[in-house]
Structure formats: structure tokens, C-alpha cells
Amino acid sequence: MTRQKIEIKKIDNISARQVTFSKRRRGLFKKAHELSTLCDAEIALMVFSNTGKLFDYSSSSMQQVIQRHNLHSQELGLSEHPSIELQLELSNQTMLSKELAEKTRELRQLKGEELQEMTIKDLQKLEKLLVGGITRVSQAKNFQEDRVLKDISSLKRKEVQLMEENWRLKQAQHLTPENGHSSECITIVCSSLADIPQDYDTSDTSLKLGLPFPD
Amino acid sequence: MTRQKIEIKKIDNISARQVTFSKRRRGLFKKAHELSTLCDAEIALMVFSNTGKLFDYSSSSMQQVIQRHNLHSQELGLSEHPSIELQLELSNQTMLSKELAEKTRELRQLKGEELQEMTIKDLQKLEKLLVGGITRVSQAKNFQEDRVLKDISSLKRKEVQLMEENWRLKQAQHLTPENGHSSECITIVCSSLADIPQDYDTSDTSLKLGLPFPD
DNA sequence: CGAACTATATATAACAC
DNA sequence: TGTGTTATATATAGTTC
């Protein structure tokens, strides 16, 4: 709808999709609000991102609008059909189960545990997916590792500075011995050391920075 | 938002309000649909005009989205006193939802779409998993491709044999011309050709047999 | 990333029929 | 009330930082 017209179909590029999602979501919510204000309408809007995150808007109360919707669509609100809710839940559950089974299968295939039935074409698709995944994972890992290395060198620099400072203070103390300020300096050193990321596992022997395929 | 900018507050003029309502309502629904398509989001939109008329849209099923919303908001607003069965189903469903969410997350991580929060250790684990997956997938692919190649060469051998057979029969026919047995041979050729795996896509230009990382 | 910035595509207020 | 037209306000795709 700008720079270039786009086709209305699922956006393949992941980050582009996320950006578009938050932009358009905001736009949609704004429009919904405007409509409810301008025309005195009662509106409820629910949006689930593909990551499962919920965003909702309601001109009044969400529950109120849903109740009203239920009244309209069927007579669900009262217990005409005592088990209609149950039926709903059941069908819902069936669906959930199916989805779960599907995801489980996909997961197993990605892990290479269920490849017998697959065609060459499917395998090629899978391979592409995995290569994409590994590329992104490696990038993320490198990024984190870089961050840790930077943290370390920054801490080392701090350490040197503090030691120098400490030394200077000690010298000063020698010249005019008053109170024990040296303990304060040690405190500073300790608190800055606590900033080291906890998740950096030093027991891992190799810190590979490149792609996992050396040749 | 055109000819003249308008203030976002209730439109006094009744007919103008109605016109605006139907125009903007259509626009809103269109946007909602576009968002759900582009970003693979699940959306429910309910609009009540001030005359009490209901308009709604849902990317999947309205009830489904409402259920999902209820799960999120933890308020199961449908019934005051849910039956034992319903409670059971609901808890069951909650569990399923959690499992599904977990699998979805894992899947996204394998695809490299949700790596922000991960520690180096987790990323290393993920990488290992992906390398394992890609190894097995490549093996499976190679196996399938080998099979296809073997099928092809076997068919070629058969073809040669049959052509020779055919030729011999023709020669024999020339010497003692009786009945047309040649058509029978053609039948054999056709039936063996039908054994070529259907899923082998010859439109794919490259038939890579090695690992997908050339260097 | 996310925020900011265009250049365009869309949506729509006012008007006409 | 519905439909169509038009001039303008908005929304937003692609891009930059």
C-alpha cells in the first residue's frame, strides 16, 4: 500500500512479517477505535499473533461484547442445551489434538527422526528449512559469544582501572593515614564482577565462532 | 480523512453516521482480513451498530477465537456453574494448549525465528540438534536419490533387453511370419515404465548428492 | 531490533445522482 | 438509502540509521 503494492498472502520473510504485523495491528486497532467513537458502535477485536501472543481491544468490556455476540449467534447464554458448551470444548479439543500431532510430527522430521515416508522434494524442503535455521542459530550464537567476550574485556579494563585507583588511594593513605577507605574499593570490584553473564558456560572446551562446518 | 479532516468523536448527523459506519466497517473488515492473511494471525472482530445489529468477522471460527481468548484471560465467562465434565475438558484443554504452545515455540526456535532470549548453552544445544537433523535428512535424501538413480539405470537395462528381445522377435517374424507378437512387448515396456517413482521431480535442475555445504 | 522517514497505495468525507 | 466520483487524509512497504 505504499512504495510498492503487495499481494495479500502470507509474508514469507520472517522479520518483514513481524514488522508488518505490528504496524498493521496498530493501524487496525486505531481504525476500530475510530469506528466505535464516530458511530457509537460496540466493538471487540481479538488478534493472536502466529507466536500465540494475544492483542485485544474492546470499546466497552470484552466479556460484555462476547456475551452479546453469543446471544446473537445462538442461544448459548442460557442452558437450553445443557451440553453445548461441552460439545464446543470437545470439538475444540479435537482440533487442538490434531494441531499438536501435526506439530509433533514436524518437530520429529526436523530432528531427522521420521524421514522414511518422505519424498525427495519434501526432503529438499526440509533441508532448506534446517539450513536456514542453523544459519540463524549460528548467527545468534556468535552474537552472544561476541557479547560475552566484550563483557569480559570491559571487565578486565575496569579491573585494571580499579586496581590503579586502589593503588593510588593506598599511596595517598600512606602519606596522610586517616581511615580505611581501601575496603570500599574492594566492594566496588566485587559488585562489578557480579555483572558477568551467568549463562556463559566456561566448562565448554571449545568456543567455536564460525559456522559449524569447518570444511 | 479526505475532502476534510474530521475530528474523532460521535457523528451527530444520523444519516452521515450510518454512511460512515458502513464504509468504515467494510474498511475495517478488509484490514482485519489482510492482517490475518499477511501475518498468519488469528483474528476475531465483532461490531454492533448503535441500532443493535451485529457484524462479525473471524479468520477461523469465531467460537474458536473466543475460546482461545478465554483461555488467555483466564476468565471462562460462558457459564456460571460449569459441569464436572466441562471443568475436566477445560483443564484438559488448558494442558493441551500449553503443550501446543511449547511445541510451537520449539519449532520456531529450530527454524531460527525466536532466538533472542536464548543463552549460549541453549544455542549450542539447538545447533547440535539442527546438525543432527540435517545429517539425517541429507542421508535420507541421498538414499532416495540413489534409489531413483538405481531405478533409472535398472529401467535402462530393461529397456535395452526389451529392445533386443523385440528385435529378435521381429527377425523371427521375418523368417516365419505368423501373428503380431510385437504389441505384447510394447505392453511390457509400458508397464515397467510405470514403476518410476512419481515423486521424483525432474524439473529440479541439480541433483545434489553431497552435504549442502560445499566448503 | 526499533524508530524515523518517504513515496505510494488506500481509505474515505463530501458531494452528486 | 445506495452507488459512484473525487480530492485529500491516512496507512504503510521499503528503506535508512
Side-chain angles (χ1 to χ4, degrees):
Chain A
M1 316 190 169
T2 128
R3 290 305 177 98
Q4 204 181 310
K5 180 170 174 170
I6 58 157
E7 196 185 349
I8 301 300
K9 63 167 194 145
K10 180 170 170 180
I11 298 172
D12 288 325
N13 183 298
I14 300 157
S15 50
R17 185 166 63 218
Q18 277 172 341
V19 171
T20 296
F21 179 70
S22 52
K23 282 186 178 181
R24 277 176 173 262
R25 178 170 43 79
R26 257 183 264 161
L28 185 65
F29 279 50
K30 186 179 173 197
K31 290 275 183 200
H33 175 67
E34 288 181 356
L35 180 60
S36 83
T37 305
L38 287 170
C39 307
D40 197 26
E42 196 169 24
I43 296 184
L45 174 56
M46 284 168 263
V47 178
F48 290 92
S49 71
N50 61 356
T51 67
K53 199 166 176 193
L54 165 67
F55 304 85
D56 62 6
Y57 162 80
S58 175
S59 57
S60 51
S61 134
M62 185 59 70
Q63 288 304 324
Q64 190 180 312
V65 181
I66 291 174
Q67 295 277 347
R68 198 170 166 191
H69 179 268
N70 284 339
L71 285 176
H72 253 270
S73 59
Q74 336 180 12
E75 268 66 26
L76 274 183
L78 303 174
S79 39
E80 280 292 321
H81 303 284
S83 68
I84 196 147
E85 291 158 358
L86 186 56
Q87 283 179 341
L88 239 150
E89 294 300 334
L90 283 171
S91 71
N92 217 311
Q93 199 173 14
T94 309
M95 219 194 47
L96 275 175
S97 297
K98 267 189 198 147
E99 234 176 297
L100 189 59
E102 175 56 30
K103 297 251 187 240
T104 304
R105 202 182 48 78
E106 200 182 340
L107 219 39
R108 283 174 55 77
Q109 283 181 341
L110 274 172
K111 291 178 185 168
E113 299 173 6
E114 194 180 308
L115 307 172
Q116 309 84 349
E117 314 270 295
M118 296 188 75
T119 66
I120 292 186
K121 220 174 179 180
D122 287 340
L123 287 168
Q124 284 170 341
K125 242 186 253 169
L126 201 56
E127 198 178 54
K128 210 181 248 175
L129 218 56
L130 283 164
V131 172
I134 216 166
T135 304
R136 279 183 283 269
V137 169
S138 288
Q139 276 176 350
K141 206 187 66 175
N142 287 348
F143 179 78
Q144 292 280 9
E145 286 169 344
D146 281 353
R147 201 173 58 79
V148 169
L149 290 179
K150 277 197 191 112
D151 284 348
I152 287 174
S153 53
S154 139
L155 280 171
K156 280 191 182 153
R157 247 179 290 122
K158 251 190 212 162
E159 189 193 5
V160 170
Q161 278 178 9
L162 285 167
M163 279 170 70
E164 286 174 359
E165 176 83 3
N166 231 312
W167 186 81
R168 268 199 298 278
L169 285 169
K170 272 186 191 154
Q171 294 299 92
Q173 212 172 27
H174 264 276
L175 296 177
T176 56
E178 282 179 55
N179 281 336
H181 278 281
S182 59
S183 63
E184 202 182 325
C185 298
I186 290 169
T187 309
I188 293 168
V189 172
C190 291
S191 75
S192 76
L193 281 172
D195 285 333
I196 294 177
Q198 292 307 309
D199 46 76
Y200 179 64
D201 185 9
T202 51
S203 73
D204 184 46
T205 51
S206 72
L207 191 67
K208 292 178 237 145
L209 286 172
L211 276 166
F213 297 97
D215 47 340
Chain B
M1 315 187 170
T2 134
R3 291 304 179 97
Q4 203 181 311
K5 179 172 176 170
I6 58 157
E7 197 184 350
I8 302 299
K9 60 165 195 148
K10 180 169 171 180
I11 297 173
D12 290 325
N13 184 303
I14 296 166
S15 54
R17 184 164 66 215
Q18 276 176 338
V19 171
T20 296
F21 179 70
S22 53
K23 283 188 175 179
R24 276 176 174 261
R25 177 170 43 79
R26 258 186 256 164
L28 184 64
F29 280 45
K30 186 178 173 200
K31 289 276 180 198
H33 175 67
E34 288 182 355
L35 180 60
S36 84
T37 306
L38 287 171
C39 305
D40 197 25
E42 195 168 25
I43 297 185
L45 174 56
M46 287 168 259
V47 178
F48 292 94
S49 72
N50 60 355
T51 66
K53 199 167 174 188
L54 166 68
F55 305 84
D56 64 6
Y57 161 81
S58 173
S59 58
S60 50
S61 132
M62 184 57 70
Q63 288 303 327
Q64 187 182 313
V65 180
I66 291 174
Q67 297 271 339
R68 201 168 164 191
H69 181 268
N70 284 337
L71 281 177
H72 253 269
S73 62
Q74 304 287 28
E75 286 176 49
L76 309 165
L78 275 180
S79 176
E80 292 300 317
H81 31 251
S83 67
I84 295 289
E85 296 120 299
L86 185 56
Q87 281 182 341
L88 239 150
E89 293 305 331
L90 282 170
S91 70
N92 217 318
Q93 195 175 27
T94 307
M95 226 183 44
L96 275 175
S97 294
K98 273 195 190 133
E99 235 178 298
L100 187 60
E102 179 53 31
K103 296 253 188 237
T104 304
R105 203 180 48 78
E106 201 182 340
L107 218 39
R108 284 175 53 78
Q109 283 181 342
L110 274 172
K111 290 179 186 168
E113 298 176 8
E114 195 180 308
L115 306 173
Q116 309 83 346
E117 314 271 296
M118 296 188 75
T119 67
I120 292 185
K121 216 171 181 181
D122 287 341
L123 287 168
Q124 283 170 342
K125 244 186 252 171
L126 201 56
E127 197 178 54
K128 211 178 250 176
L129 218 58
L130 282 164
V131 171
I134 216 167
T135 304
R136 281 184 281 272
V137 169
S138 287
Q139 276 176 351
K141 206 186 68 175
N142 288 347
F143 180 78
Q144 291 281 9
E145 284 169 346
D146 281 354
R147 201 173 59 78
V148 168
L149 290 178
K150 276 193 192 118
D151 284 350
I152 287 174
S153 53
S154 140
L155 280 171
K156 278 190 181 154
R157 247 179 289 120
K158 255 189 208 161
E159 188 193 8
V160 170
Q161 280 178 8
L162 286 166
M163 277 171 69
E164 285 173 1
E165 177 82 4
N166 231 314
W167 185 80
R168 268 197 298 279
L169 286 168
K170 272 189 191 149
Q171 293 300 92
Q173 211 173 27
H174 264 277
L175 296 177
T176 58
E178 285 181 51
N179 278 338
H181 279 282
S182 60
S183 63
E184 201 180 325
C185 299
I186 289 170
T187 308
I188 294 167
V189 172
C190 289
S191 76
S192 74
L193 279 172
D195 286 334
I196 294 178
Q198 293 306 309
D199 47 75
Y200 179 65
D201 186 9
T202 51
S203 72
D204 184 45
T205 50
S206 72
L207 193 65
K208 291 177 238 146
L209 285 171
L211 278 166
F213 297 96
D215 49 340

